[in-house]
Amino acid sequence: MTAEPVFRMADRPRAGAPNVIAIVLDDTGFAQLGCYGSDIATPHIDRLAADGLRYNRFHVTALCSPSRASFLTGRNHHAVGMGFLTDIPLDHPGYTGRIPRSAATLPRILRDAGYGTIAVGKWHLVPRFERTAAGPFSHWPLGLGFERYYGFLHGDANHYAPNLVRDNQFVDPPATPEQGYHLTEDLTDQAIRFLTDHRHAAPGKPFFLYYALGAMHSPHHVTPEWVEPYRGRFDQGWDEWRRQIFAKQVASGVVPDGTVLTPRPTWVAEWASLDADQRRMYARQQEVFAGFLTHTDAQIGRLLDHLDETGDAENTIVLLFSDNGASAEGGVDGSVNEHRFTAGIPESLADNLEHYDDWGGPETYTHYSWGWAWAGNTPFRLWKRYTWLGGTRTPLVVRWPAGIRGAGRVSDPIVHVNDVFPTLLDAIGRPAPEVVDGVAQQRIDGASFRDSFHDPAAPSPRDTQYFEMIGSRSIIHDTWKATTNHVSTGVHDEEQLLTGSRDLAQDHWALYDLTTDFSESTDVASDHPEVVAGLEQRWAEEAERNHVLPLYDKLVDRFGSLIWPVWPPGKDRTYLPGGSPISDEALPLLLGGFRLTADVEAGPDPAGVLAAIGDWNGGFALFVVDGLLTFSYSRAGELFEVTAAEPVPPGRSSLGVSIVPDRAIQLRHGDDTVVGELPFRGGLLPTVQHGGAGLRLGDDAGLPVSRRYRTPFPWNGRLHSVRLQAPAPVPVESTIDVRGALHAD
């Protein structure tokens, strides 16, 4: 018998330790919130800013997964394997798409310190091929320190019919689009419920809530009543809107007096040069975006109201930021279905106009024209994916009534997303551990800027920060910023229209004096060549130290180093009903075509879905309607549908379909009897949905693939199994797959 008890009580935080809520917006530019100059209504975010601080020199990494990894670990994104997206994990240290155990996350540290840890919303930190029912789950939210999770694992989601996860299990949304379902509302309901459960079960225990919304990433989905107040509000176009917003930014102090508004680049059309149809369509796109943002703000308001109702607001640190600047992935015209780009289907103004009235509704997957992304990043250059300020400088609002003095002011130290981690630990009073689970922890790259909470003159916490994204490079050191003019590949309109260097060795390093040039407007490189040379060398040293090298500026180069699954699905699988939907990443590669065969028993009036994945934005379904076998394939909204000429036979039989690229789609009764055929031109896509999808057996959910049925449309006979056969693996045309990843980010 031991002399002393062996059980040690869990740690408790210090008395008065604050709660923490991190609100992470997606693809939201510096100028798109009301408190940063916008005329789009965001009253609840504005209230947060009025009661706290607005930072106007806050920086992120220019892309989603990297910024989120940097926030959660306090490290540079390459240093934790997140140099690009988790969708394309590579076997190089800076690009594995896997946060290492040597960089314990903020929720893990806070959980060990006695906090409750809750995550709701977008994750995008699980590497490709691990987003299945078999995991492994080590990089899912519960594997990285959260105790509860509800949200989606991929880079985007259909806000009317998302691919959801609760803890470690895929689940269906609790309602349908027809019942009024919207993802942002659902996430907020779940966040409030988690907090209520936490408070009931452990009164007084502090919490960390990571509330990461799918908004404002495409698809820009919102119901008409939120859009209607903005009808006609953007008819003046992006040039005039940008000038008006800039004037408001300067007047409010969020942009300093004397700042130069950077000029419109040649690849963004002058609004006055557009014809009437272009102006009408582009204005509509911004109306829907504005309604989407105001709807998002209303849900944030519900969460903030909950803090007020429970008395937690006073001692809760609420911070709100965006993971990167506004997104230009809609290209010149915007897109009614962003999957079209991955499919190589050109965007069309005529197609967009056909959906003018239902833009943002369930039958669309919309993104706006890049003219609005440029304007949304006022007063800066460029946008998401570039390390110009348009991609890396975003809003940061911090409210903590118990810990901030001088609420409502603009705070101007240069800070980075990796500085938030040590700042929160500083505010909580918890030092970062040196060892976690026996693993020595790597250096923390960020530094606390907590002094700025009470001191308006607080200096920047560090003097150096490098940036790199798909070959675009920059560095801040002391009062200088150097930025390359590199243009990456991956977005077709950029490849065709952007001016700049396509050769890393020939890139021009522009130089900006940040003490006088807030907007990166005036290149003084020719006046200070020695400064440029020093910064270029310093960038190289930072790149070496953080595993940035080798550089990947051509997206196709990445696939030679892709980390493939440990347990590949093979090319011939048989699935049994009764399980969860089978993740698309666990299916055979269907790019070269496939054969799908259902072993069924049919009654006298057979009907229902035999197998389905995705929806009318992208996906396929094999189903029986009016007694006839039917197959529908949506290639980014381009529908191919074939119906059998003969009815489904009664009793047990096999019903199937085969699809061969550039040949035909054939329906079969039994093994060889062709009962329907449709010519099929073109190829199949590596994935059917940017937000991921699961193959369902015996029914469908969410949005249908075909308008000939309504979900769930369950099969009314017996389904024994579904067999999926693919030909020998076909090499993925890598530009297509990486473009899909970019659009899903």
Side-chain angles (χ1 to χ4, degrees):
M1 180 174 179
T2 57
E4 297 180 1
V6 296
F7 181 78
R8 186 175 67 85
M9 292 292 291
D11 285 350
R12 289 176 63 103
R14 65 171 175 82
N19 306 308
V20 178
I21 295 180
I23 303 172
V24 184
L25 297 177
D26 207 328
D27 290 5
T28 305
F30 185 83
Q32 290 177 323
L33 304 179
C35 51
Y36 280 78
S38 176
D39 60 356
I40 299 173
T42 56
H44 302 286
I45 297 174
D46 298 350
R47 172 166 60 96
L48 197 68
D51 294 340
L53 304 176
R54 284 170 292 167
Y55 287 80
N56 67 351
R57 298 174 190 264
F58 170 71
H59 300 84
V60 289
T61 71
L63 206 59
C64 163
S65 302
S67 290
R68 293 161 197 264
S70 192
F71 164 70
L72 289 171
T73 66
R75 278 87 172 180
N76 290 324
H77 56 299
H78 295 90
V80 291
M82 211 66 66
F84 190 55
L85 302 175
T86 56
D87 309 82
I88 312 294
L90 308 181
D91 61 3
H92 293 291
Y95 301 90
T96 62
R98 292 161 167 82
I99 294 175
R101 295 177 64 201
S102 59
T105 63
L106 182 63
R108 171 59 200 271
I109 294 170
L110 294 187
R111 189 189 72 189
D112 289 353
Y115 272 66
T117 56
I118 301 163
V120 170
K122 175 173 172 175
W123 186 239
H124 211 191
L125 292 171
V126 181
R128 187 177 193 163
F129 306 122
E130 294 187 7
R131 299 177 290 202
T132 76
F137 301 103
S138 53
H139 293 96
W140 289 42
L142 270 59
L144 287 175
F146 287 107
E147 295 166 306
R148 296 305 311 271
Y149 174 66
Y150 181 82
F152 57 99
L153 299 180
H154 288 69
D156 76 7
N158 188 316
H159 291 84
Y160 297 112
N163 188 28
L164 290 174
V165 166
R166 180 182 295 277
D167 297 331
N168 285 346
Q169 179 72 42
F170 286 97
V171 295
D172 289 335
T176 67
E178 292 80 9
Q179 294 168 327
Y181 179 85
H182 192 283
L183 175 61
T184 315
E185 297 173 14
D186 184 22
L187 295 177
T188 307
D189 290 343
Q190 293 295 329
I192 292 172
R193 181 168 184 166
F194 279 148
L195 291 181
T196 299
D197 289 347
H198 172 85
R199 192 176 296 106
H200 288 169
K205 182 179 181 179
F207 61 81
F208 169 43
L209 169 63
Y210 181 67
Y211 175 72
L213 300 177
M216 294 299 294
H217 197 291
S218 64
H220 299 159
H221 276 160
V222 72
T223 48
E225 67 271 19
W226 293 94
V227 179
E228 190 59 31
Y230 291 101
R231 188 176 293 275
R233 288 273 299 276
F234 304 103
D235 288 353
Q236 77 272 36
W238 45 61
D239 293 306
E240 181 57 28
W241 187 81
R242 189 171 184 259
R243 284 190 286 268
Q244 293 172 2
I245 297 310
F246 178 65
K248 290 179 63 178
Q249 289 177 325
V250 173
S252 71
V254 76
V255 168
D257 282 330
T259 297
V260 174
L261 179 61
T262 56
R264 176 179 49 79
T266 57
W267 53 85
V268 174
E270 181 183 9
W271 188 264
S273 71
L274 302 174
D275 64 34
D277 281 345
Q278 288 173 311
R279 292 196 298 270
R280 179 170 173 262
M281 189 67 248
Y282 297 162
R284 180 63 172 174
Q285 294 168 356
Q286 179 73 345
E287 290 169 7
V288 170
F289 176 86
F292 186 29
L293 180 53
T294 298
H295 174 264
T296 301
D297 175 81
Q299 310 319 308
I300 293 171
R302 291 173 53 214
L303 180 61
L304 298 178
D305 288 346
H306 178 73
L307 293 181
D308 292 335
E309 292 164 3
T310 58
D312 287 325
E314 176 70 18
N315 197 31
T316 297
I317 302 172
V318 180
L319 57 97
L320 177 148
F321 67 92
S322 174
D323 60 356
N324 44 248
S327 164
E329 284 139 21
V332 171
D333 283 323
S335 178
V336 67
N337 183 348
E338 205 187 8
H339 297 95
R340 291 165 61 111
F341 183 85
T342 311
I345 302 172
E347 302 300 345
S348 161
L349 179 65
D351 289 348
N352 289 350
L353 284 166
E354 287 183 9
H355 289 273
Y356 178 92
D357 290 325
D358 66 339
W359 195 269
E363 296 195 22
T364 69
Y365 209 93
T366 57
H367 203 327
Y368 55 16
S369 165
W370 69 14
W372 292 115
W374 164 70
N377 293 323
T378 301
F380 308 126
R381 302 175 187 263
L382 274 172
W383 38 58
K384 171 184 176 180
R385 292 174 293 101
Y386 288 90
T387 63
W388 295 85
L389 292 179
T392 61
R393 187 173 289 179
T394 69
L396 170 64
V397 177
V398 180
R399 187 189 76 176
W400 183 20
I404 284 177
R405 292 204 297 267
R409 60 184 166 89
V410 174
S411 188
D412 65 357
I414 295 174
V415 294
H416 187 268
V417 66
N418 62 22
D419 296 319
V420 179
F421 174 99
T423 301
L424 291 174
L425 292 182
D426 186 8
I428 289 165
R430 182 79 176 187
E434 296 182 0
V435 177
V436 176
D437 291 339
V439 178
Q441 298 296 285
Q442 64 193 69
R443 72 176 188 279
I444 292 174
D445 298 302
S448 174
F449 56 91
R450 185 187 174 194
D451 285 351
S452 66
F453 288 4
H454 55 81
D455 181 3
S460 302
R462 298 180 291 118
D463 62 3
T464 302
Q465 178 62 50
Y466 84 92
F467 301 83
E468 189 279 331
M469 192 58 61
I470 325 176
S472 176
R473 291 155 290 151
S474 64
I475 188 168
I476 292 173
H477 180 66
D478 291 336
T479 62
W480 299 103
K481 182 173 189 283
T483 309
T484 65
N485 65 339
H486 195 80
V487 178
S488 63
T489 61
V491 176
H492 182 268
D493 286 352
E494 289 183 356
E495 294 173 3
Q496 298 297 312
L497 298 174
L498 259 64
T499 58
S501 170
R502 269 78 174 175
D503 183 343
L504 291 166
Q506 299 300 318
D507 288 354
H508 169 69
W509 286 82
L511 181 67
Y512 303 95
D513 183 349
L514 297 181
T515 60
T516 59
D517 189 352
F518 180 83
S519 61
E520 215 172 23
S521 66
T522 305
D523 179 9
V524 295
S526 61
D527 298 331
H528 303 279
E530 74 290 349
V531 175
V532 175
L535 291 177
E536 189 173 356
Q537 177 60 33
R538 187 175 293 272
W539 185 93
E541 293 168 358
E542 290 292 301
E544 183 68 29
R545 188 170 70 100
N546 287 280
H547 307 301
V548 179
L549 306 176
L551 287 178
Y552 291 96
D553 69 320
K554 293 181 175 59
L555 298 177
V556 295
D557 293 345
R558 297 176 183 264
F559 269 79
S561 302
L562 188 69
I563 300 173
W564 293 95
V566 176
W567 301 99
K571 59 181 181 178
D572 190 343
R573 296 292 305 278
T574 297
Y575 305 107
L576 304 179
S580 300
I582 302 118
S583 168
D584 52 0
E585 295 180 10
L587 298 176
L589 185 62
L590 306 181
L591 189 68
F594 61 88
R595 183 167 182 169
L596 182 73
T597 306
D599 180 2
V600 306
E601 289 184 36
D605 297 302
V609 171
L610 301 173
I613 186 170
D615 56 40
W616 51 39
N617 295 298
F620 61 80
L622 183 67
F623 58 98
V624 177
V625 64
D626 297 327
L628 300 175
L629 184 65
T630 302
F631 179 74
S632 295
Y633 175 61
S634 172
R635 184 171 59 191
E638 181 184 13
L639 188 66
F640 299 85
E641 192 164 81
V642 56
T643 298
E646 301 174 13
V648 169
R652 186 163 184 171
S653 67
S654 62
L655 305 176
V657 62
S658 62
I659 179 168
V660 180
D662 273 324
R663 288 182 59 185
I665 301 172
Q666 292 183 330
L667 293 174
R668 286 183 168 83
H669 290 174
D671 291 334
D672 300 314
T673 305
V674 175
V675 293
E677 186 167 10
L678 180 73
F680 179 71
R681 296 291 172 259
L684 283 75
L685 301 182
T687 55
V688 297
Q689 291 272 319
H690 290 165
L695 180 68
R696 303 182 69 94
L697 309 181
D699 68 359
D700 200 357
L703 300 171
V705 177
S706 170
R707 288 161 180 80
R708 296 190 61 192
Y709 68 88
R710 296 184 62 182
T711 61
F713 199 42
W715 171 241
N716 64 2
R718 183 175 180 184
L719 178 63
H720 292 278
S721 65
V722 171
R723 184 180 183 187
L724 184 58
Q725 299 166 278
V730 175
V732 177
E733 205 267 279
S734 31
T735 302
I736 288 178
D737 213 29
V738 181
R739 284 175 176 171
L742 281 174
H743 279 252
D745 172 65

